[in-house]
Amino acid sequence: MNEYVNFYEKNKISPVRQNIDDFALHVKRREGLYRQLGLLRANFEGKKVLEVGPGGGYNALVTYSFKPSKYVLVEPNSTGFQELKNNFATHGFNENVEFHNTFLEDFTCKESFDVVMCEGLIQGLPNREVFLTKLSSLVKEGGVLVITVADEISMFFEILRRYLANELIKDEKDFKKQIAILVEAFSPHLETLKGMTRRYDDWCADLLCDAIYNHTFSVADAITLFQNEYFFYGASPNVFHDFRWYKALPHNPLEYNAYYLEQFNTQRHNFINSAQTYDKCSAEKNVALSLTCKELIEVVKSLEKHDGTYAKEDAIALLKRIADNLLEVDSSLHVSIHEVIEIVQKENLTTHDVSQLCTMKPLFGRGQTFLSFCKETL
Ligand SMILES: C[S@@+](CC[C@H](N)C(=O)[O-])C[C@H]1O[C@@H](n2cnc3c(N)ncnc32)[C@H](O)[C@@H]1O
């Protein structure tokens, strides 16, 4: 068990439903994602594909439509698994597909796959390295691994919303009523997001999943974990440049990947606000931002559990440090964080206070980043 499955099973939910009424549009969106990751339909057609943690399978339906010769899906949550099977059945997608209602850790399989995908999961796991070792063992030599990452900077505004959510529902024990409160508070925030396909109640349920407190897995952490075995291949959004001449490219993955790792720390602040891109920043400043955002996660978690380690003043002090760090990057972020500081000092925070946050309301970080890697150890 992990935080996702504990939470989903306890509340009998799979809060990753998407509006796919316009399936052709859904396919176009996913094609855009795969293209940024260096994957075309031809990379799936006639290939063996494994997907781990597909939830109700809304995205998996698109992958299936690219006609893999075999598509294996591994999903442990009983509600998600049932929805996955129903979604495939509704679309008449029943050939060359296998469903396994189990954890990846318990999944036994002798074969390896051309493409292995795992979306929206690894960043929330406590045992990432064990999980990734198993995942990697299922990728064929020359195959592609697609994962997602999310870190304390890309999740900063989500953690801030979790802090507000904890305050709003602290006297409400009923899960459905908690979600209703959060939908009221955050709907005006979510309405500002262009291209949002998720249900607001699902988004709010996910905000309450404790997996959010593990989201400290950065793009650089993932590249570092795979640096000896895989060549970094693509990212969505694509946060890197690569001006190297192909004839001068290093042939071993460790040296090849170092080029991307060198760029990362000067770009980290670009994960804070999905609506803007900023010029490069000093690595020291960004490392400090990352450490402060990590501390904030610990403080928000501790305040929620009432474990007495931290007080509200600690959260406020960290928020002020984060606002100061970002002042030169974008002074409007500084203003928005101070807007939140002002309302959290109130004795009784209301849904109205949160829904009316004027400058913070439209601010969302980049959330998860997709990464693709090519396995080349020979
Ligand atoms: C946040 S959801 C993402 C669902 C889907 N991939 C998406 O992006 O919409 C994470 C999914 O991973 C599944 N999951 C959690 N732990 C897992 C594990 N150890 N092995 C396989 N799947 C797991 C959960 O049940 C859930 O369906």
Side-chain angles (χ1 to χ4, degrees), residues 2 5 8 16 52-55 75-77 103-105 119-121 131:
N2 54 51
V5 185
Y8 293 175
V16 286
V52 176
E75 172 53 57
N77 173 30
F103 288 89
L104 173 71
E105 295 86 329
E119 173 173 352
L121 166 54
F131 185 91

Side-chain angles (χ1 to χ4, degrees), residues 23 29 65 78 106 112 121 150 164 194 202 231 241 258 324 331:
F23 193 67
R29 280 196 213 102
S65 76
S78 41
D106 302 327
S112 53
L121 166 54
L164 297 171
K194 282 203 194 88
D202 278 2
F231 287 92
H241 66 244
D324 287 346
S331 59

Side-chain angles (χ1 to χ4, degrees), residues 19 38 44 59 75 100 107 126 145 239 273 286 325 334 345:
N19 182 344
F44 295 94
N59 299 326
E75 172 53 57
H100 296 266
F107 173 62
L145 174 62
V239 291
N273 179 7
N286 276 345
N325 183 301
H334 186 271
Q345 306 203 48

Side-chain angles (χ1 to χ4, degrees), residues 44-60:
F44 295 94
E45 194 169 340
K47 300 283 191 284
K48 288 204 293 181
V49 179
L50 169 70
E51 177 152 2
V52 176
Y58 295 82
N59 299 326

Side-chain angles (χ1 to χ4, degrees), residues 71-85:
Y71 192 17
V72 177
L73 295 145
V74 178
E75 172 53 57
N77 173 30
S78 41
T79 304
F81 187 72
Q82 205 44 56
E83 204 175 315
L84 169 71
K85 288 190 42 172

Side-chain angles (χ1 to χ4, degrees), residues 146-367:
V146 175
I147 62 167
T148 54
V149 299
D151 70 10
E152 57 286 352
I153 298 180
S154 71
M155 293 297 289
F156 167 71
F157 282 108
E158 243 77 350
I159 290 290
L160 206 47
R161 288 188 173 89
R162 172 69 179 247
Y163 180 32
L164 297 171
N166 291 343
E167 288 292 309
L168 291 175
I169 61 169
K170 62 180 181 224
D171 299 322
E172 179 57 71
K173 296 284 166 271
D174 181 82
F175 181 66
K176 284 200 174 123
K177 290 185 184 155
Q178 289 181 340
I179 298 302
I181 292 170
L182 299 186
V183 169
E184 193 177 318
F186 291 119
S187 287
H189 297 218
L190 297 170
E191 277 156 15
T192 68
L193 273 177
K194 282 203 194 88
M196 169 81 160
T197 54
R198 292 185 67 188
R199 290 168 53 140
Y200 289 1
D201 55 347
D202 278 2
W203 185 92
C204 291
D206 241 1
L207 189 69
L208 291 185
C209 178
D210 280 351
I212 198 172
Y213 292 133
N214 295 328
H215 283 53
T216 55
F217 188 44
S218 72
V219 171
D221 292 335
I223 296 178
T224 305
L225 255 177
F226 291 126
Q227 62 188 345
N228 295 312
E229 250 191 302
Y230 288 82
F231 287 92
F232 168 74
Y233 187 40
S236 180
N238 189 359
V239 291
F240 296 117
H241 66 244
D242 191 343
F243 289 115
R244 293 175 291 183
W245 185 32
Y246 75 93
K247 290 186 181 175
L249 287 176
H251 294 157
N252 84 54
L254 185 70
E255 281 175 56
Y256 178 88
N257 293 329
Y259 183 81
Y260 301 106
L261 289 174
E262 275 159 25
Q263 290 174 44
F264 182 68
N265 275 337
T266 59
Q267 290 295 352
R268 295 189 84 156
H269 57 299
N270 266 312
F271 289 85
I272 196 103
N273 179 7
S274 59
Q276 299 288 339
T277 45
Y278 304 111
D279 290 342
K280 272 203 310 196
C281 195
S282 91
E284 293 71 31
K285 211 163 163 227
N286 276 345
V287 170
L289 179 63
S290 149
L291 291 175
T292 319
C293 290
K294 268 189 183 150
E295 276 183 69
L296 182 71
I297 294 180
E298 290 311 311
V299 172
V300 171
K301 187 160 63 171
S302 155
L303 291 176
E304 180 189 338
K305 313 277 178 243
H306 301 289
D307 66 9
T309 316
Y310 296 103
K312 187 188 265 189
E313 292 66 40
D314 297 306
I316 292 171
L318 288 173
L319 287 174
K320 284 184 179 162
R321 262 166 58 197
I322 293 168
D324 287 346
N325 183 301
L326 293 167
L327 186 59
E328 276 173 37
V329 170
D330 183 342
S331 59
S332 67
L333 295 176
H334 186 271
V335 171
S336 305
I337 297 170
H338 276 274
E339 190 188 13
V340 177
I341 292 173
E342 207 165 295
I343 66 160
V344 295
Q345 306 203 48
K346 289 179 66 173
E347 202 49 56
N348 276 313
L349 188 69
T350 65
T351 52
H352 184 260
D353 295 326
V354 174
S355 69
Q356 295 310 308
L357 275 166
C358 151
T359 63
M360 185 268 192
K361 192 166 60 180
L363 288 173
F364 288 85
R366 295 205 185 271

